[in-house]
Amino acid sequence: MSLQPGLYRHYKGPEYRVLGVARHSETQEQVVVYQALYGEFGLWVRPLEMFTGEVELDGKHVPRFAFVEAETSVLRRP
């Protein structure tokens, strides 16, 4: 599964910049590398399956992170 780099909104409201998808060195699990666009602008990782999953909000299933707009990733292949 691939994930388009760009801006995403968490279902609780804050926005994040997805930098790319990486692979865990021990488990080979795909993880999303993303940056908070608020506070200390920290870098985070989350399993791809969880990032692209859904959560229940007010009785409805909504994406955990909703795509907002495309952006060229800062992580590129040489």
Side-chain angles (χ1 to χ4, degrees):
M1 175 188 279
S2 64
L3 186 70
Q4 182 172 4
L7 301 180
Y8 287 77
R9 182 171 293 115
H10 190 265
Y11 75 98
K12 292 182 182 177
E15 288 191 347
Y16 296 85
R17 172 176 289 120
V18 168
L19 302 175
V21 176
R23 190 168 298 278
H24 189 288
S25 63
E26 298 294 322
T27 66
Q28 301 300 306
E29 178 182 27
Q30 290 185 301
V31 294
V32 178
V33 180
Y34 60 106
Q35 180 181 30
L37 296 178
Y38 62 91
E40 295 181 17
F41 293 83
L43 291 177
W44 298 87
V45 295
R46 182 184 294 253
L48 178 61
E49 208 168 289
M50 183 184 288
F51 190 95
T52 58
E54 294 185 340
V55 295
E56 190 172 327
L57 182 65
D58 299 327
K60 297 179 183 177
H61 290 275
V62 298
R64 182 181 307 273
F65 288 90
F67 180 74
V68 174
E69 84 181 348
E71 187 173 71
T72 303
S73 174
V74 297
L75 301 177
R76 300 183 187 158
R77 292 178 187 241

